[in-house]
Amino acid sequence: MAPLKSWLSIPPDSDFSLSNIPFGIINSKNNPSEKRPAIAIGNHVLDLKAFSKANGFSGLPSLKDPLTVFSQPTLNAFAALGQQTHNAVRTYIQDIFSESTSNPQILKDNASLQKEALLPKHETKTHLPMQIGDYTDFYAGKNHAFNVGSMFRDPANALQPNYTHLPVAYHGRASSVVISGTSIRRPHGQILLDKTASPPQPTLTPTRALDIELELGCFLCTTSPLGTPIPIGPAAASSIFGFVLLNDWSARDIQTWEYVPLGPFTAKNFATSVSAWVVLPSALQGFRVQKLQNSTDVLPYLREESDDSVYDIQLEVDLTTPEGDTTNISRVSARHLLWSFPQMVAHHSVGGCAMNVGDLLGSGTISGASGGGGDLGSLLEACQGGKKEIMLKGMDVRKYLKDGDTITIRGVCGEDGARVGFGECVGTIESAIQL
Amino acid sequence: MAPLKSWLSIPPDSDFSLSNIPFGIINSKNNPSEKRPAIAIGNHVLDLKAFSKANGFSGLPSLKDPLTVFSQPTLNAFAALGQQTHNAVRTYIQDIFSESTSNPQILKDNASLQKEALLPKHETKTHLPMQIGDYTDFYAGKNHAFNVGSMFRDPANALQPNYTHLPVAYHGRASSVVISGTSIRRPHGQILLDKTASPPQPTLTPTRALDIELELGCFLCTTSPLGTPIPIGPAAASSIFGFVLLNDWSARDIQTWEYVPLGPFTAKNFATSVSAWVVLPSALQGFRVQKLQNSTDVLPYLREESDDSVYDIQLEVDLTTPEGDTTNISRVSARHLLWSFPQMVAHHSVGGCAMNVGDLLGSGTISGASGGGGDLGSLLEACQGGKKEIMLKGMDVRKYLKDGDTITIRGVCGEDGARVGFGECVGTIESAIQL
């Protein structure tokens, strides 16, 4: 398919081509006090509140009361309208921006609305796109689970017996989810310096093993009451609003000591970063690929009609040292999942757990199958639990993150001129506070 | 201290004496469409919106704009005002209702306001008292942790090495917290019928091991930004709004199969019940007792000035069969905790986790030290993992709950005429849906 052409100048390598149209929340130089919805396009954003106010949606009568929906400080109200509406709005905006638009009077030939609503991206700031009800982090990256299991047990018993039967997950902390660009404060916690001491003598200290987890995040757009599972198939698929990049920052030394028997807690709840622009499933439709093959014949409530339910998104992770040297430390496709998001939704709700608009699901850490380096989603795997240094530019090395390090995650599908990308998910490590 | 006397007729065995004054959210026969704050007193509730509207708080000028605060459908706005205000309001209401009130014109001699704002409790319905941001369930009931650890490992290694060093917890699911009286739908989930089969063959089925967890819940009233721990001492103590009874319903067969390695998930996220009336710390002040002694010298960030930081609340659990026979299955004091709520707050936030007004913390299951029966907080312990029947009235027995069973938890401190109680936390098991 030839790239869609726009009357707006969009750099060919932009994540936000006319094929994308992701949604986010901004404020701007010309209106700093008001958070409001927008879409990203090339080096611009379209302020959907200003656009609605000027009757920009007059060509889309099926969208009722756009000004109310797009005057909210989060995307929850828009998300709650359902996928059919999301797709109608995306298609309408694609038309408004296309060279051969059927509605040139709306924006193409309307210099005053362009001035008011089409803002240079560098004059805007992004915020958390959704009010998050609950946040759940899955563990669907099978290569990651295998690598970690091999390290802590042995390769023959790397995966727990339940792993191929159900998408393992833990409840995360919604209050700790932050927007890309937020600095990450190195957390204190209990760690065991001497693992052989008896009785154990934990120390309260800033973590020495601050790690990343390269994940895809998924925001939900449906509300299901308590006691009502969301079945696999159309119901689970249509519960998905869209996707973001997600970094579930982790303190490995705290985690090792605290996680038995109820799972990770303070090792994770100090911060989780998400990228700003929510990419709709319809924008990713052409990049569906088969998920990892499951040797287990899963129970019917998790069985999908077709296995092409994950996306071939090219993810990459850069580490920039405080001195400014940037090294790419991972490149891997988001296809390396054993479970798709519709399967996660079906499992999450099978016992009747209430799901809400704005709930966030993390995929779990995504690592490639190389077994070696270059395609791993965590430093834990890359440094083999602390046994190995990772080489960086600037004659530097790392096992885990140092103060002042910046992690930048990117994700993109497709070719120049028609790229569907996520922008960046960035965080810089700040030194621990004095306790 | 002699009981406070009221001009209102309060039954001497009421949980809601003049010494209590707990806060909740109601609607009523005379105003069914509006959820609003109230306090419980004897067999009545005082509608705080109607009371504010009629200038009932005119004798408490330090309380700014009571009508706005008490026109909300949750207690979050009131909670956010802080303990000093909560205590001032409680003391003021105690005065308004006392026989020798200094403000008789406000309510005692004001028949029309009594008619409007002082509602018979049976004409009102209670709702979730707070909008819950995040829900965390701790594991501070040491006897429970010991009993369960003994069952799954052995008594010599019952407690994990970290148990006496930090309050173990997992993040729960805020969307699954329901108000007392809500029916509990038996959840489906994956269970292993044959634990020896290789490879394992899980089945999707309604749980056969539906259990209770007898807990105290604690709502928070302060907001701490990400990266900012709440230190033990006055800061942690003043972050507590108040307490409720909590039943963290659990499906043991689902839990056993799913919980490795990241903790419980669908085994817990189908429902957690809380009682309706939030009892303030000031009402419980006279019932402080020493928590369980910790053999470990805990790290300074968890060290309290004094150990009397838990409460001697008499908890009890009744099981009523579908045939209507009620058996008391547990009586135990809430003092059986190794960690206090201020310690939980300090640990929860030590890595910088953001805490919010309305967050809910569960204590973990509270069991006594008998080692036998009659004081256990879960059926798992009472039936010894399924080995033993629990005798019920009506010539019946149970291991776990059957459809139609009702669990009623009560909790109370103090003597007749001055009781500080929680009312009930009730749930009846409904049969599983057809999948």
Side-chain angles (χ1 to χ4, degrees):
Chain A
M1 197 175 72
L4 301 166
K5 284 212 166 168
S6 177
W7 51 262
L8 181 72
S9 168
I10 301 175
D13 64 348
S14 173
D15 278 3
F16 308 123
S17 74
L18 203 48
S19 303
N20 193 350
I21 315 293
F23 292 78
I25 293 292
I26 59 150
N27 66 347
S28 62
K29 222 166 130 179
N30 73 338
N31 183 358
S33 67
E34 202 173 20
K35 292 184 194 173
R36 58 214 192 263
I39 60 100
I41 182 156
N43 291 332
H44 290 79
V45 311
L46 180 69
D47 172 345
L48 293 177
K49 182 174 180 188
F51 186 70
S52 302
K53 214 171 192 167
N55 287 316
F57 285 108
S58 56
L60 186 67
S62 66
L63 180 66
K64 305 292 173 214
D65 202 5
L67 185 55
T68 300
V69 171
F70 292 127
S71 294
Q72 310 298 321
T74 67
L75 294 173
N76 292 53
F78 175 58
L81 298 178
Q83 277 184 351
Q84 204 177 338
T85 302
H86 312 155
N87 294 339
V89 170
R90 174 170 168 268
T91 305
Y92 179 74
I93 292 173
Q94 284 179 319
D95 174 60
I96 292 295
F97 277 101
S98 81
E99 205 166 54
S100 54
T101 174
S102 54
N103 284 301
Q105 79 290 355
I106 298 265
L107 196 64
K108 186 183 179 189
D109 299 341
N110 186 341
S112 81
L113 184 55
Q114 284 186 30
K115 187 155 180 248
E116 200 177 345
L118 192 58
L119 311 173
K121 195 185 265 164
H122 65 88
E123 291 182 7
T124 65
K125 204 181 152 217
T126 49
H127 302 274
L128 266 190
M130 308 286 284
Q131 185 181 345
I132 300 167
D134 282 288
Y135 159 46
T136 299
D137 203 17
F138 282 83
Y139 195 52
K142 187 184 169 193
N143 299 324
H144 169 74
F146 179 85
N147 292 339
V148 172
S150 300
M151 222 177 282
F152 291 133
R153 286 178 298 275
D154 65 282
N157 298 295
L159 297 177
Q160 299 285 354
N162 59 17
Y163 189 82
T164 59
H165 291 272
L166 54 84
V168 168
Y170 75 97
H171 298 122
R173 177 85 188 172
S175 75
S176 70
V177 180
V178 296
I179 188 69
S180 170
T182 307
S183 294
I184 306 302
R185 182 71 75 177
R186 180 181 298 273
H188 282 75
Q190 285 196 21
I191 68 172
L192 273 193
L193 289 170
D194 179 355
K195 289 187 181 57
T196 62
S198 176
Q201 301 283 351
T203 310
L204 180 69
T205 172
T207 176
R208 262 61 181 174
L210 186 50
D211 199 357
I212 62 166
E213 292 199 336
L214 171 63
E215 305 192 22
L216 212 56
C218 172
F219 284 111
L220 300 190
C221 62
T222 45
T223 290
S224 64
L226 204 68
T228 315
I230 300 176
I232 197 85
S238 68
S239 72
I240 291 171
F241 175 48
F243 303 95
V244 288
L245 305 172
L246 187 149
N247 185 351
D248 196 44
W249 305 91
S250 301
R252 300 299 177 193
D253 42 6
I254 299 173
Q255 188 174 354
T256 308
W257 169 236
E258 81 172 356
Y259 93 106
V260 176
L262 297 182
F265 185 54
T266 61
K268 299 273 194 177
N269 67 19
F270 61 95
T272 300
S273 300
V274 292
S275 57
W277 297 100
V278 182
V279 177
L280 300 191
S282 52
L284 292 166
Q285 187 61 25
F287 308 101
R288 293 170 72 104
V289 286
Q290 286 217 331
K291 59 181 186 286
L292 296 179
Q293 219 186 330
N294 194 339
S295 52
T296 293
D297 188 23
V298 302
L299 284 164
Y301 83 100
L302 291 171
R303 234 173 259 162
E304 294 185 289
E305 280 206 1
S306 144
D307 274 345
D308 63 339
S309 51
V310 298
Y311 302 101
D312 189 21
I313 303 163
Q314 301 307 314
L315 303 171
E316 51 176 66
V317 183
D318 284 352
L319 192 161
T320 304
T321 63
E323 294 76 28
D325 294 302
T326 296
T327 309
N328 177 279
I329 58 170
S330 185
R331 282 181 216 273
V332 58
S333 166
R335 69 189 303 166
H336 291 282
L337 296 172
L338 189 66
W339 303 99
S340 70
F341 281 106
Q343 287 178 310
M344 296 178 209
V345 168
H347 181 66
H348 202 316
S349 64
V350 71
C353 180
M355 310 301 289
N356 287 304
V357 173
D359 284 349
L360 175 62
L361 311 183
S363 62
T365 308
I366 301 173
S367 290
S370 75
D375 63 351
L376 300 170
S378 71
L379 298 174
L380 173 68
E381 294 163 86
C383 76
Q384 294 179 1
K387 279 189 261 172
K388 190 183 136 185
E389 301 274 13
I390 304 158
M391 284 208 290
L392 300 181
K393 290 191 183 146
M395 293 299 119
D396 211 345
V397 289
R398 285 291 180 281
K399 289 174 178 172
Y400 295 104
L401 297 174
K402 295 202 166 169
D403 291 350
D405 283 352
T406 297
I407 289 290
T408 305
I409 298 175
R410 290 188 193 83
V412 69
C413 304
E415 301 297 317
D416 273 11
R419 286 162 68 114
V420 175
F422 289 77
E424 295 181 339
C425 181
V426 191
T428 298
I429 307 305
E430 287 189 344
S431 55
I433 60 167
Q434 295 284 341
L435 270 195
Chain B
M1 197 175 71
L4 302 167
K5 283 212 166 167
S6 178
W7 50 262
L8 181 71
S9 168
I10 300 175
D13 65 348
S14 173
D15 278 3
F16 308 121
S17 74
L18 203 47
S19 304
N20 193 350
I21 314 293
F23 292 77
I25 293 292
I26 60 151
N27 66 347
S28 63
K29 220 165 129 179
N30 73 337
N31 183 358
S33 66
E34 202 172 20
K35 291 186 194 173
R36 57 213 194 263
I39 60 98
I41 182 156
N43 292 331
H44 291 79
V45 312
L46 180 69
D47 172 345
L48 293 176
K49 181 173 182 189
F51 185 71
S52 301
K53 213 169 192 170
N55 287 316
F57 285 107
S58 56
L60 186 67
S62 67
L63 180 65
K64 305 295 174 215
D65 201 5
L67 185 55
T68 300
V69 170
F70 292 128
S71 294
Q72 310 298 321
T74 68
L75 294 172
N76 291 52
F78 176 58
L81 298 177
Q83 278 184 350
Q84 205 178 336
T85 302
H86 312 155
N87 294 339
V89 169
R90 174 170 169 268
T91 305
Y92 178 74
I93 292 173
Q94 284 179 319
D95 174 60
I96 291 295
F97 278 102
S98 82
E99 205 167 55
S100 55
T101 174
S102 54
N103 284 301
Q105 78 290 356
I106 299 265
L107 194 64
K108 185 183 180 190
D109 300 341
N110 186 341
S112 81
L113 184 54
Q114 284 186 32
K115 187 156 179 246
E116 200 177 344
L118 194 56
L119 311 174
K121 194 184 265 162
H122 65 88
E123 292 181 6
T124 64
K125 202 178 155 221
T126 49
H127 302 273
L128 266 190
M130 309 286 284
Q131 186 182 342
I132 300 166
D134 281 288
Y135 160 46
T136 299
D137 204 17
F138 282 84
Y139 196 51
K142 187 184 169 192
N143 300 324
H144 168 75
F146 179 83
N147 292 339
V148 172
S150 299
M151 221 177 283
F152 290 131
R153 286 178 297 275
D154 65 283
N157 298 295
L159 298 177
Q160 300 285 354
N162 58 16
Y163 189 82
T164 60
H165 292 272
L166 55 82
V168 169
Y170 74 96
H171 298 121
R173 178 85 189 173
S175 74
S176 70
V177 180
V178 296
I179 187 69
S180 171
T182 308
S183 294
I184 306 302
R185 183 71 74 175
R186 181 182 297 273
H188 282 76
Q190 285 196 22
I191 70 170
L192 273 193
L193 290 170
D194 179 357
K195 290 188 179 56
T196 62
S198 178
Q201 301 283 350
T203 310
L204 179 71
T205 172
T207 175
R208 262 62 182 175
L210 186 50
D211 198 357
I212 62 167
E213 293 199 335
L214 171 63
E215 306 193 22
L216 213 55
C218 173
F219 283 111
L220 300 190
C221 62
T222 44
T223 290
S224 64
L226 203 70
T228 315
I230 300 175
I232 197 85
S238 68
S239 73
I240 291 171
F241 175 49
F243 304 96
V244 290
L245 306 172
L246 186 149
N247 185 350
D248 196 44
W249 305 92
S250 300
R252 300 301 177 192
D253 41 6
I254 299 172
Q255 189 174 354
T256 309
W257 169 236
E258 80 172 358
Y259 92 107
V260 177
L262 297 181
F265 184 55
T266 61
K268 299 274 194 178
N269 68 19
F270 61 95
T272 299
S273 299
V274 293
S275 58
W277 296 101
V278 182
V279 177
L280 300 189
S282 54
L284 292 166
Q285 187 61 25
F287 307 101
R288 293 170 71 103
V289 285
Q290 286 217 330
K291 60 180 185 285
L292 296 180
Q293 219 186 330
N294 194 341
S295 52
T296 293
D297 189 22
V298 301
L299 284 165
Y301 83 100
L302 292 170
R303 234 173 260 161
E304 294 186 290
E305 279 206 1
S306 144
D307 274 345
D308 64 338
S309 51
V310 299
Y311 303 102
D312 189 20
I313 303 162
Q314 302 306 313
L315 303 170
E316 52 177 64
V317 183
D318 283 352
L319 191 160
T320 304
T321 63
E323 295 76 27
D325 294 303
T326 296
T327 308
N328 177 280
I329 58 169
S330 185
R331 283 181 215 273
V332 58
S333 167
R335 70 190 303 166
H336 291 282
L337 296 172
L338 188 68
W339 303 99
S340 70
F341 281 107
Q343 288 177 310
M344 296 179 210
V345 169
H347 180 67
H348 202 316
S349 64
V350 71
C353 181
M355 309 301 288
N356 288 304
V357 173
D359 284 348
L360 175 63
L361 311 183
S363 63
T365 309
I366 302 174
S367 290
S370 75
D375 64 351
L376 300 171
S378 70
L379 298 174
L380 173 68
E381 293 163 88
C383 76
Q384 294 178 3
K387 280 190 258 173
K388 192 183 135 183
E389 300 274 12
I390 304 157
M391 284 207 291
L392 301 180
K393 289 191 185 146
M395 294 298 121
D396 211 344
V397 290
R398 285 290 180 280
K399 290 174 178 173
Y400 295 103
L401 297 174
K402 295 202 166 170
D403 290 349
D405 283 352
T406 297
I407 289 290
T408 305
I409 299 175
R410 289 188 194 80
V412 70
C413 304
E415 301 296 318
D416 273 9
R419 287 161 67 113
V420 176
F422 289 78
E424 296 180 339
C425 181
V426 191
T428 299
I429 308 304
E430 286 189 345
S431 55
I433 59 166
Q434 295 284 341
L435 269 195

